[in-house]
Amino acid sequence: MHKRKIIIKSSKQNYSIELLNISKSNFKANIDTNDILLVDKKVFQRHKLSKFLSNKNIIKINASEKSKSFENLNSIINQIIKKNFNKNNKLIIIGGGITQDIGSFIASILFRGIDWIFYPTSFLSQCDSCIGGKTSINFYSRKNQIGNFHPPKKIFIDVNFLNTLSKKEINSGIGEMAHYFLVSGKEDVAYFKLRYQKAMQLNLKACEQLIFKSLNIKKRFIEKDEFDKKERLLLNYGHTYGHAIESITNFKIPHGIAVAHGMNMANFISHKLGLLKYEKFEMVKEILDPICKDYLPKNININHLIKALKKDKKNINSNIRSILAKDIGHMIVREIVVNDNFKKILYEFKRKYFRL
Ligand SMILES: NC(=O)c1ccc[n+]([C@@H]2O[C@H](COP(=O)([O-])OP(=O)(O)OC[C@H]3O[C@@H](n4cnc5c(N)ncnc54)[C@H](O)[C@@H]3O)[C@@H](O)[C@H]2O)c1
């Protein structure tokens, strides 16, 4: 596969993403002796990374939402400091979005900020989270409540890492990716439709094409609105409802699959509020079904869902800030008042589409 490169412009520092086959020489060229590596434990084992990484400073991360906590941070920072790490050394992060969120948050606060390089290994981290500079940890069951912006210096993507992902994690990545194409417009949705089922079968060429395209769509939004104040808010399409589903199912539904359900929910609400034609809701649902229909949230309690929706950090007062759809590629920001009509819509959605 030939090399593809993207540069992201950021007010903090511009940074690059290269899509390539990561070889031993890439690690050698980018990792210095005193750098510290935070590596997803599973990736370390499945890709036999001990053969490629000669560096002694390796901290293995157990990637779970519970690990994105203050307690875990404390223990990792303690290990880093004990290794005589200083401000001129870098953190090298190898793993998915969770390892990234933990590592990048540490990189942003340690010694008032150190450099980090990222080798994303999950679908979701390759097509989405690796760019944008957001760092986050959870606060008890509240997701991504604490964080800041601290982009990496460089990102290297190798789609061969995807070979060891479970079916559920592949679908999660494709679910997250889908929202970029749907927000972007009809032409990009057609591009996605031609390739996403192949990517779900791990056709690496299709994976690479979709990853490259979705990163370029995200680039458009984050370069216009780096700090999530205007245009970038539209990228929360599916996320308000997705985060609430993740939270009330105790994270049993992985992020990107929850986002796919969340997009269906947002579209259904949009239709019920007179914004979106029913055919458009159905059309998008047909695209999303192969990604999420085998992973339905079991028996959700609508009152719990509303409680979780109300905790979203982007809300305004007690209203729910939602990204709704008027069409494919035409999303709007709406404040939703939680009233009987809204509850009725959620109950109807559950009855029709979360039936097991
Ligand atoms: N910072 C951001 O901008 C941003 C954006 C989107 C999502 N996120 C966060 O990312 C997280 C989800 O990301 P994720 O799905 O990558 O989670 P993850 O890091 O937990 O990876 C998912 C699972 O796949 C495993 N894994 C990773 N790479 C693998 C590989 N190559 N082979 C086998 N197993 C592998 C992990 O060990 C884990 O079990 C969430 O916490 C979400 O909030 C952050």
Side-chain angles (χ1 to χ4, degrees):
M1 274 173 217
H2 63 278
K3 193 163 126 177
R4 295 166 185 259
K5 191 168 177 171
I6 306 172
I7 304 283
I8 305 290
K9 293 195 191 102
S10 157
S11 62
K12 303 251 168 178
Q13 75 194 10
N14 292 354
Y15 53 100
S16 65
I17 307 141
E18 286 179 51
L19 277 93
L20 37 75
N21 288 328
I22 291 161
S23 60
K24 216 173 164 175
S25 62
N26 180 285
F27 283 133
K28 219 172 164 187
N30 290 289
I31 305 176
D32 298 320
T33 328
N34 291 326
D35 291 346
I36 289 190
L37 285 84
L38 294 190
V39 189
D40 181 310
K41 202 189 253 172
K42 223 186 270 172
V43 176
F44 190 81
Q45 284 161 355
R46 300 212 181 149
H47 290 270
K48 303 192 173 35
L49 291 184
S50 57
K51 281 206 276 182
F52 302 99
L53 299 167
S54 54
N55 196 299
K56 301 251 175 330
N57 300 327
I58 296 176
I59 299 171
K60 292 183 199 141
I61 303 284
N62 199 356
S64 78
E65 287 292 335
K66 286 207 177 86
S67 306
K68 281 175 54 170
S69 67
F70 270 130
E71 295 70 33
N72 192 39
L73 231 57
N74 206 347
S75 130
I76 298 170
I77 294 175
N78 199 13
Q79 292 177 65
I80 295 176
I81 286 177
K82 277 190 185 151
K83 288 182 194 284
N84 295 325
F85 187 78
N86 68 50
K87 204 171 160 55
N88 300 317
N89 306 134
K90 310 184 288 296
L91 271 192
I92 309 295
I93 302 174
I94 305 177
I98 288 187
T99 312
Q100 171 193 347
D101 271 348
I102 297 168
S104 59
F105 185 61
I106 293 176
S108 74
I109 56 172
L110 192 62
F111 310 138
R112 297 201 191 88
I114 51 165
D115 288 342
W116 63 289
I117 287 183
F118 190 28
Y119 292 87
T121 61
S122 67
F123 223 125
L124 189 142
S125 58
Q126 296 196 346
C127 73
D128 170 27
S129 68
C130 66
I131 62 169
K134 285 186 184 173
T135 83
S136 338
I137 60 163
N138 303 331
F139 191 69
Y140 298 100
S141 65
R142 293 184 178 216
K143 216 175 130 70
N144 296 344
Q145 300 284 304
I146 296 162
N148 51 24
F149 286 88
H150 188 63
K153 275 260 171 214
K154 288 178 187 169
I155 300 156
F156 298 103
I157 296 180
D158 182 352
V159 287
N160 289 298
F161 274 120
L162 306 178
N163 278 323
T164 50
L165 284 171
S166 67
K167 171 99 187 78
K168 204 175 183 179
E169 293 305 337
I170 294 168
N171 286 24
S172 175
I174 304 269
E176 180 77 66
M177 186 189 259
H179 96 281
Y180 286 110
F181 290 88
L182 288 162
V183 170
S184 180
K186 292 182 180 116
E187 212 175 288
D188 282 337
V189 169
Y191 187 91
F192 180 74
K193 272 175 77 177
L194 273 180
R195 293 168 178 82
Y196 82 110
Q197 308 253 17
K198 283 190 203 153
M200 280 165 69
Q201 303 301 320
L202 278 187
N203 173 319
L204 292 187
K205 188 172 173 218
C207 293
E208 201 186 275
Q209 287 173 331
L210 289 176
I211 287 167
F212 189 69
K213 191 83 162 175
S214 66
L215 290 175
N216 274 302
I217 297 173
K218 182 166 179 180
K219 171 184 157 80
R220 241 171 43 213
F221 283 86
I222 60 181
E223 286 186 346
K224 253 195 228 155
D225 172 27
E226 186 170 14
F227 300 113
D228 228 353
K229 302 276 182 231
K230 255 177 108 190
E231 291 87 347
R232 191 172 174 179
L233 281 176
L234 298 182
L235 295 181
N236 282 309
Y237 175 52
H239 281 65
T240 313
Y241 299 97
H243 283 157
I245 291 171
E246 273 184 282
S247 152
I248 63 166
T249 58
N250 235 337
F251 300 106
K252 284 200 184 77
I253 307 267
H255 180 72
I257 292 179
V259 168
H261 288 307
M263 287 187 276
N264 278 332
M265 255 185 176
N267 290 350
F268 189 71
I269 295 164
S270 307
H271 165 63
K272 287 288 170 178
L273 296 181
L275 296 167
L276 183 74
K277 287 194 181 124
Y278 185 73
E279 307 89 81
K280 292 286 164 80
F281 160 74
E282 280 271 277
M283 193 190 285
V284 176
K285 193 172 168 303
E286 247 170 56
I287 300 173
L288 297 175
D289 268 354
I291 303 167
C292 63
K293 77 170 182 332
D294 290 342
Y295 307 96
L296 295 180
K298 281 182 197 145
N299 233 345
I300 57 164
N301 179 315
I302 294 298
N303 289 325
H304 292 174
L305 185 82
I306 290 173
K307 222 169 151 186
L309 284 168
K310 283 186 166 174
K311 286 183 190 168
D312 194 285
K313 60 181 178 292
K314 295 202 170 73
N315 286 344
I316 297 160
N317 304 324
S318 55
N319 296 343
I320 295 167
R321 184 143 77 168
S322 267
I323 308 302
L324 299 182
K326 284 184 128 178
D327 196 354
I328 289 172
H330 186 178
M331 278 67 195
I332 54 165
V333 186
R334 265 286 165 95
E335 268 184 61
I336 293 192
V337 182
V338 181
N339 55 19
D340 287 348
N341 185 43
F342 180 62
K343 281 189 193 167
K344 219 171 101 193
I345 297 172
L346 294 181
Y347 273 111
E348 186 180 344
F349 183 86
K350 174 186 162 182
R351 199 177 61 247
K352 288 188 168 152
Y353 305 108
F354 281 167
R355 208 177 28 203
L356 301 175

